[in-house]
Amino acid sequence: MKSSVLVFLLCISSALAYVEVAMKCPDGWDWFKRSRGGWCMKVFSGPVTQGDGETKCKAEGAVLAGVQNGDEVKWMGESLVKVAGGGSLWIGAKRSIPCIPIRGLTALCTPLTSFYWTDASTTGFLGFKKWLAGEPNNYGGNQGCVQLFSASGLMDDAACNIYSTGYVCGKSSTFVFLLCVVSALADCPAAWKTILNAQREESTSNGCEADWKFFKRPSGGWCMKVFPGYYEAQADAEKACKTVDATLSGLQNKNEGIYIQSAILAQVPQTSGSLWTGLQRTKKCMGQKLTATCNNLTSFEWTDNATTGTEGFLFQDAQPDNKNLDQNCALFLASKAASIVARGTYFAGTYEDVNCVTGFNSENIARKTFGYVCGKKASSLWNGGKRSKACIPIRGLTDVCTSLTTFYWTDASTTGCLGFKKWMVGEPNNAGQDCIQLFKNTGLMDDLGYFKK
């Protein structure tokens, strides 16, 4: 995913506070809410080939954008009419490797699986539901790209070297941060003291040490800290995390990625570099390149026993490719610029698969490892509460499933509802969460799933 631009105001010392104070798009770009974060898009006129469109988007600090849903389809069509009178535009999709030699539609290469999104922001298959009749059929065996038609809102696979009326670019919205790195609060402005104090209070009240960042995850409270330092091997970074009673942390979502970038860039003189996190190739995909089975969402797994899902698998375009069949780890790129050039173009806030023991030379020094991310569970206790059967399928709070009635005590000793009065804000909300954790510092509860190590 193309990283948001980070604007830093720094007060330098030993502990870090940061706060997102703005999120916006450049003038002339429109903002869209996506599961991986805010997304800015703009439609440009051609005529252009797909390759031309990619090049022109990169000049804007962006990429060809995928299609998340019907609202975006409608916007793209209307925008193309405004700038070019209508026609077709290139979008950010490429034919999946297993379907390159396949003509027509098959059980393997369907309208939903023949292509993949290349912008590292678009998720799911919803955008692949509206094709012209019989498409994508890979006519001639060379239709590796996708056009969207403004009049119908339907897509067609096409040869990448033909011309479209326009193209749509996308990039992450700009996040503006205030950061304060302090050893004494007196070193920073009063407003920053408030920010730092609030973050310390949030961390400690939720079971983290004061200089660790608290994140609420589906698996429970998680404490994360970004450390500067060079380790050639992922295993050595893991050992370093063990010294602080932690493990290399996975990445639950884009927000955690933003924190990682801001935290490391505030601590080092470099403007870009890579970090080790808790991500390794699955056993079934060892020695495998990109396939329908081993793709960007299935080739790797989190190693921290706390990160869940695939939202944090923010791989570069066409990654993880396992180029030499030995790239069983991955590095996360942090950069003050949206992209860097280091034997290729690499985008901030994305992963690239690498050997678990890395080496860097003068040509790719901008990607050299300069940090690692440690994580550990927030200090909390399981208690004897279980979700009542009637409320297992219910998400959120309702008239039937309230904070007092959603759970029951399992110990045959505890009585009444008094113990169910102190929950974290908005809880218990049930995102597949049938157990309860009690946070020691606040005395508040949260419903959580039970994840075995």
Side-chain angles (χ1 to χ4, degrees), residues 20-25 31-32 37-40 172-176:
E20 177 190 322
V21 295
M23 182 175 67
K24 63 179 183 178
C25 294
W31 185 86
F32 294 85
W39 186 243
C40 302
S172 289
S173 52
T174 300
F175 289 86
V176 181

Side-chain angles (χ1 to χ4, degrees), residues 98 284-285 290-295 297-299:
K284 71 177 182 180
C285 292
L290 280 172
T291 66
T293 303
C294 295
N295 55 51
L297 299 182
T298 60
S299 293

